[in-house]
Amino acid sequence: MENYVNLQVNEGIGTIEFFTKQSNSLPGATLKELADTITKAGEDDSIKVIILKSGGERAFCAGASFDELLAIEDKDTGKEFFLGFARVINAMRKAPKFIIGRVQGKAVGGGIGVASATDYCFATKFASIKLSELAVGIGPFVVSPAIERKMGVAATSQMAINATEFHDAQWAADKGLYQQIFDDAGAMDEAVDALAQKLVKSNPESMAMMKKVFWRGTEDWDKLLDERAQISGELVTSDYTKNFITEFKKKLG
């Protein structure tokens, strides 16, 4: 299958699904399309609630595309790549509709940032998480504000410092990332649909105002995430990062 971002609208529910062949890791083009699609859904009056999900069964999102990270040669190109994650998070933040997350499998790096920017997140027991950026030689600068907002400074710091360790779905739920965990995707989908159906019947103005209240204190994120993207863009050009990604890709065959 080729990479895609799809938006389907059915009786007031806008379902956005993204997919890439490398465990749903996100290259720049997909990040742009995802941000634009979220913005479009937020502006569509026929959509009352948004569901965000990824294709496939095993991984929700493996974070940044290693192919694109390896191809970055200068800090400006690096900044522009990481701005892709900033735009996705800010599009989710600004959308005047609740976004329900559906996490069927592992979330790594930027994938945790995407899950953190949802307003209510469901997951399966297979949805373990790892904030791997430091191990690659950079850091979770762009996504950490969203993760810290949802999970707190202590949990964010723990993941960022111990960057090679996966934490299971229950740990993530205990820290506030996931609101409910299920044994399988089928049970999760039933719960996702049930909540979406309830929200479709709710007052859109009330939900929009509630979302503003819930995201209070993030009004400076356009500037903040731009500054964080600059930091990541500079670090990704380091010899450490280039060597790590090259060796990692060799191990993958």
Side-chain angles (χ1 to χ4, degrees):
M1 296 178 64
E2 296 300 318
N3 298 352
Y4 65 79
V5 177
N6 290 333
L7 169 61
Q8 294 185 338
V9 183
N10 182 31
E11 297 182 346
I13 301 171
T15 301
I16 299 171
E17 179 175 312
F18 65 91
F19 172 81
T20 69
K21 292 177 284 188
Q22 289 76 35
S23 300
N24 290 323
S25 61
L26 295 171
T30 302
L31 285 166
K32 182 181 186 305
E33 189 174 3
L34 183 57
D36 290 345
T37 302
I38 292 166
T39 299
K40 176 183 175 182
E43 295 171 346
D44 188 337
D45 290 338
S46 71
I47 296 175
K48 310 303 180 187
V49 61
I50 299 168
I51 297 171
L52 181 63
K53 60 189 291 188
S54 64
E57 298 179 356
R58 301 185 64 181
F60 170 69
C61 177
S65 164
F66 272 14
D67 287 338
E68 291 212 9
L69 289 179
L70 194 58
I72 293 171
E73 297 292 343
D74 60 83
K75 63 182 181 181
D76 290 337
T77 304
K79 177 181 178 180
E80 182 59 30
F81 174 76
F82 287 103
L83 277 174
F85 283 97
R87 293 180 183 119
V88 169
I89 291 171
N90 278 323
M92 296 173 73
R93 173 177 67 88
K94 294 175 183 178
K97 291 146 190 185
F98 289 136
I99 299 176
I100 301 172
R102 176 197 182 274
V103 181
Q104 79 280 22
K106 291 180 178 179
V108 177
I112 308 176
V114 173
S116 295
T118 64
D119 299 295
Y120 198 104
C121 199
F122 295 91
T124 70
K125 63 183 181 182
F126 306 107
S128 55
I129 60 174
K130 178 173 70 172
L131 202 55
S132 57
E133 282 84 348
L134 181 59
V136 184
I138 45 178
F141 298 104
V142 172
V143 298
S144 63
I147 299 170
E148 183 178 320
R149 170 185 169 270
K150 186 62 71 72
M151 303 180 71
V153 175
T156 304
S157 300
Q158 180 178 343
M159 290 189 294
I161 293 170
N162 194 355
T164 60
E165 180 181 347
F166 270 102
H167 299 270
D168 64 26
Q170 186 58 58
W171 184 89
D174 291 342
K175 302 302 181 183
L177 178 62
Y178 304 140
Q179 278 64 64
Q180 292 181 250
I181 300 174
F182 300 86
D183 288 336
D184 56 67
M188 175 178 62
D189 286 336
E190 290 181 6
V192 169
D193 184 64
L195 179 58
Q197 294 294 342
K198 291 178 184 177
L199 293 176
V200 163
K201 299 182 179 77
S202 299
N203 184 344
E205 293 182 5
S206 294
M207 291 189 288
M209 291 304 297
M210 287 173 65
K211 179 149 183 177
K212 282 187 177 181
V213 170
F214 294 155
W215 284 85
R216 184 179 59 185
T218 65
E219 293 82 6
D220 67 336
W221 278 21
D222 283 328
K223 180 176 183 291
L224 174 65
L225 299 192
D226 182 272
E227 294 171 349
R228 297 293 186 87
Q230 178 73 38
I231 297 171
S232 293
E234 293 176 358
L235 288 171
V236 76
T237 61
S238 69
D239 290 339
Y240 183 98
T241 299
K242 294 289 188 184
N243 292 335
F244 177 89
I245 296 175
T246 299
E247 292 302 316
F248 184 81
K249 290 190 68 177
K250 286 180 181 178
K251 292 178 182 178
L252 294 178

